[in-house]
Amino acid sequence: MRLFLVRHGETEFNRQGLALGREDVPLNETGQRQARLVATALAGEPLAAVYSSPLRRCLDTAGPIAAAHGLEVRVLPELVEMDIGEAEGLTYAQVRERYPDILGRWLGGEDLSLRPLGGESLPQVQERAWNAIARLTRVHGQESVAVVTHNFVILALLTRALGMPIASFRRLRHSVGAISVLELDGESVTVWRLNDTCHLRADDGKGWLP
């Protein structure tokens, strides 16, 4: 199966640098434009299905992709973003000030759990997301599918695909509106594209997208 892994477009939380987990915020104007550009970039791909996290920012990114192929968006709950608990909506400085011990353990790779904040752990995110992708490979065989999801979900999937320790997720970046492409064949995973944002650099008359 060829997997087109798409991060949703920009929201106001992303633009302002606020922590964003399960809060169901919509795309902003830039994010809506990014969604259209992603759809254009994938219009020539033979997609058999388009799957999305249940959150609005992903559904609104997946919609144009699916429409370009005459498909309906299929919601996959396991693709929802990591629950970040009490960190939701805070700036990095606020998280550092309020939860220095938890942030220190997180950044040091000693403990990738946000359960003290009422959230979940990154290994939990990886397990649920990878199991969902594994089910898709059984359903779709040799087909191509698009999956629209979130930052932590994508980083957790990529570390698994690349055989990296999950604590190494900080070495990877996946921009809003970016596309990565994985090919899954049994236990073998090949990464064909990583954090591709070339399609977002198209000038639509409003300037170059970030």
Side-chain angles (χ1 to χ4, degrees), residues 51-165:
Y51 291 89
S52 173
S53 156
L55 296 183
R56 182 176 172 186
R57 56 192 183 270
C58 286
L59 292 171
D60 288 348
T61 303
I65 301 171
H69 291 83
L71 300 170
E72 297 290 331
V73 176
R74 306 185 194 183
V75 174
L76 204 56
E78 296 92 334
L79 298 176
V80 72
E81 179 60 300
M82 182 178 186
D83 186 346
I84 61 174
E86 296 173 21
E88 191 82 56
L90 301 181
T91 64
Y92 177 79
Q94 289 171 325
V95 174
R96 184 176 54 194
E97 179 182 352
R98 298 183 192 185
Y99 311 108
D101 293 340
I102 296 172
L103 184 62
R105 294 198 301 270
W106 170 269
L107 294 177
E110 303 166 18
D111 182 4
L112 297 179
S113 170
L114 293 179
R115 283 172 288 186
L117 301 182
E120 63 182 325
S121 72
L122 194 59
Q124 287 175 321
V125 174
Q126 186 183 69
E127 184 70 13
R128 63 171 162 82
W130 191 263
N131 287 342
I133 297 302
R135 289 201 310 275
L136 295 186
T137 64
R138 294 192 291 271
V139 170
H140 289 285
Q142 302 297 311
E143 295 177 325
S144 296
V145 302
V147 163
V148 183
T149 184
H150 306 268
N151 186 47
F152 282 125
V153 175
I154 291 174
L155 297 182
L157 289 171
L158 288 175
T159 54
R160 177 73 176 262
L162 292 167
M164 298 168 59

